[in-house]
Amino acid sequence: MKKVMHIVDSLDRGGQETLLLDLAITQKNMGFLVEIVCLFNEGILANKANDNGIAVIALESKNKSMRKKLSELKVIINDSSPDTIHTHNRRPLFMALLAKPSYANRTINTRHGNGVRGLYWSIAALFVKNIINVSNDLLQSSNWLNRVILKYKNHVIKNGILINQQTTQGDNPGRIIIVGRLNPVKNHSLALTLIKECINQNLAVSLQIVGDGLQKSSIQKQIEELELQAHVTLLGDRSDVQELLTQADIFLLTSFSEGHSIALLEACAAGLPAIVSNVGGNGEIVQNTKTGMVIALDDIDGFVSSIQTLLQDREKWLAMSKATRQWAIANASMENCAKEYSKIYEN
């Protein structure tokens, strides 16, 4: 029985962490022995891992020296002796290679977003078995060392999700939802600007913002400045995102950068037409005018016009809802994603 050790910063709620956890659960169901090592705190999603019989080991303390953490990680790897060390993003890759360089030929690295780049990552990537990019765009936009010198190590495995049966019924026209950490790259400021413009054009819309983070106070301030208190609700970190998606009408994603958004995949599976910025892997998920709309970041009129179209043409909304659900079932299942990773492990 093959043993896989996933190494990640933590299991705090987020797209990368959700993907890792659902992948680990699916791998366990496929017969793998799976464990997760967190370089920092366990995070809220660790409970779900434990409930599914997956061990989570956290190195914890922020005050612990790098040398001490490397020493602990080396002991953990030695005791486990995994067949594959699956690192997620940059820091787990560095730590795994430094702690146990002799396991480099068992180590793979998944790049979950454009933050994983630069000379140090490229040097580390020289030593790993395989590099996984979660979208075609992520690979194509990476540096020349990764695209040319390390081309033979690179693969694209698009993210998958556990697809639920529940879907939106369109019972709340105009209820828009955005899901993601409240950080600058998610560009919530644009989302609020769009809602204000919709209100100015007498469109009956509301916005639910799901997530928490450092930008919360600045988002609250902008809501007040735009006088959107009656139209925008900050829901914070939620464990019932699936239910919230099925009660919404439109999914909005205004990010400056994306890899292969888990939140967007979940929205598609819930049958939500999505209006997204034309960045990263968004255009690989949303089929423009068929399952949603892909809009240039600077095209405010395009965003607002798309919202208006879905509000006023409910037959179009229904067609998009059905199409995006069908796309998710065919292209975004975690089972297929896990099978692709299995091929990489065994290669």
Side-chain angles (χ1 to χ4, degrees), residues 20 68 192:
L20 184 159
K68 177 67 173 174
L192 295 176

Side-chain angles (χ1 to χ4, degrees), residues 67-140:
R67 181 177 295 180
K68 177 67 173 174
K69 287 199 174 191
L70 284 171
S71 177
E72 290 184 7
L73 183 57
K74 181 177 181 179
V75 171
I76 291 168
I77 295 174
N78 280 338
D79 289 346
S80 176
S81 188
D83 298 290
T84 299
I85 296 178
H86 189 162
T87 61
H88 297 265
N89 278 348
R90 183 165 45 194
R91 183 160 38 202
L93 171 62
F94 294 163
M95 294 286 283
L97 291 177
L98 290 172
K100 197 69 176 175
S102 63
Y103 273 46
N105 64 343
R106 304 187 195 184
T107 301
I108 73 170
N109 180 243
T110 294
R111 301 178 65 234
H112 291 273
N114 279 310
V116 186
R117 59 171 66 195
L119 180 61
Y120 290 125
W121 175 82
S122 296
I123 292 173
L126 286 168
F127 299 97
V128 301
K129 179 182 176 183
N130 291 113
I131 303 160
I132 311 301
N133 304 271
V134 299
S135 70
N136 292 316
D137 175 83
L138 196 60
L139 174 57
Q140 293 164 4

Side-chain angles (χ1 to χ4, degrees), residues 13-58:
R13 201 183 309 280
Q16 172 197 166
E17 294 80 7
T18 298
L19 179 281
L20 184 159
L21 181 55
D22 289 346
L23 175 61
I25 292 170
T26 304
Q27 289 173 334
K28 182 176 182 293
N29 293 337
M30 292 169 66
F32 286 90
L33 292 173
V34 185
E35 55 191 343
I36 299 172
V37 177
C38 298
L39 298 181
F40 298 99
N41 61 300
E42 284 189 350
I44 194 169
L45 296 180
N47 293 330
K48 184 177 177 181
N50 293 327
D51 290 345
N52 283 273
I54 297 172
V56 178
I57 305 169

Side-chain angles (χ1 to χ4, degrees), residues 127-182:
F127 299 97
V128 301
K129 179 182 176 183
N130 291 113
I131 303 160
I132 311 301
N133 304 271
V134 299
S135 70
N136 292 316
D137 175 83
L138 196 60
L139 174 57
Q140 293 164 4
S141 63
S142 62
N143 62 36
W144 69 269
L145 181 60
N146 189 47
R147 285 183 287 104
V148 179
I149 305 301
L150 299 178
K151 182 178 180 180
Y152 70 102
K153 291 189 177 188
N154 273 271
H155 306 268
V156 174
I157 299 179
K158 297 184 179 182
N159 291 338
I161 57 171
L162 299 176
I163 297 177
N164 292 324
Q165 295 303 312
Q166 295 79 18
T167 61
T168 182
Q169 300 302 308
D171 295 332
N172 298 296
R175 181 180 292 181
I176 301 170
I177 190 169
I178 184 168
V179 179
R181 288 191 178 115
L182 307 187

Side-chain angles (χ1 to χ4, degrees), residues 75-342:
V75 171
I76 291 168
I77 295 174
N78 280 338
D79 289 346
S80 176
S81 188
D83 298 290
T84 299
I85 296 178
H86 189 162
T87 61
H88 297 265
N89 278 348
R90 183 165 45 194
R91 183 160 38 202
L93 171 62
F94 294 163
M95 294 286 283
L97 291 177
L98 290 172
K100 197 69 176 175
S102 63
Y103 273 46
N105 64 343
R106 304 187 195 184
T107 301
I108 73 170
N109 180 243
T110 294
R111 301 178 65 234
H112 291 273
N114 279 310
V116 186
R117 59 171 66 195
L119 180 61
Y120 290 125
W121 175 82
S122 296
I123 292 173
L126 286 168
F127 299 97
V128 301
K129 179 182 176 183
N130 291 113
I131 303 160
I132 311 301
N133 304 271
V134 299
S135 70
N136 292 316
D137 175 83
L138 196 60
L139 174 57
Q140 293 164 4
S141 63
S142 62
N143 62 36
W144 69 269
L145 181 60
N146 189 47
R147 285 183 287 104
V148 179
I149 305 301
L150 299 178
K151 182 178 180 180
Y152 70 102
K153 291 189 177 188
N154 273 271
H155 306 268
V156 174
I157 299 179
K158 297 184 179 182
N159 291 338
I161 57 171
L162 299 176
I163 297 177
N164 292 324
Q165 295 303 312
Q166 295 79 18
T167 61
T168 182
Q169 300 302 308
D171 295 332
N172 298 296
R175 181 180 292 181
I176 301 170
I177 190 169
I178 184 168
V179 179
R181 288 191 178 115
L182 307 187
N183 61 27
V185 75
K186 296 300 182 181
N187 195 16
H188 289 85
S189 177
L190 174 58
L192 295 176
T193 298
L194 297 175
I195 296 302
K196 181 64 175 180
E197 185 60 29
C198 286
I199 299 300
N200 289 343
Q201 295 188 26
N202 296 315
L203 298 178
V205 297
S206 63
L207 175 65
Q208 294 181 328
I209 299 177
V210 181
D212 205 351
L214 297 175
Q215 293 286 301
K216 182 176 180 179
S217 59
S218 63
I219 291 171
Q220 287 177 322
K221 182 179 179 181
Q222 187 180 0
I223 291 171
E224 293 169 3
E225 290 174 347
L226 295 176
E227 299 181 342
L228 290 173
Q229 294 93 325
H231 305 280
V232 178
T233 306
L234 292 176
L235 296 179
D237 182 44
R238 298 286 291 253
S239 60
D240 59 344
V241 173
Q242 293 296 329
E243 183 177 350
L244 292 170
L245 290 174
T246 61
Q247 295 171 357
D249 191 55
I250 297 171
F251 186 82
L252 181 63
L253 190 61
T254 52
S255 302
F256 287 119
S257 174
E258 285 289 345
H260 200 72
S261 171
I262 294 294
L264 178 54
L265 292 177
E266 290 176 339
C268 291
L272 273 181
I275 301 174
V276 303
S277 53
N278 189 16
V279 300
N282 289 349
E284 297 175 37
I285 297 174
V286 176
Q287 299 169 283
N288 193 32
T289 72
K290 182 177 179 181
T291 63
M293 283 83 156
V294 183
I295 311 295
L297 269 170
D298 60 355
D299 187 5
I300 291 178
D301 289 342
F303 275 102
V304 174
S305 175
S306 297
I307 294 171
Q308 182 178 23
T309 295
L310 291 176
L311 279 177
Q312 297 178 351
D313 188 344
R314 298 310 284 179
E315 287 188 6
K316 188 176 188 66
W317 180 94
L318 181 60
M320 282 192 172
S321 177
K322 291 180 178 179
T324 195
R325 169 73 176 178
Q326 292 169 353
W327 179 91
I329 292 171
N331 296 280
S333 74
M334 176 51 70
E335 290 76 13
N336 289 338
C337 178
K339 287 176 183 177
E340 290 300 309
Y341 272 109
S342 296

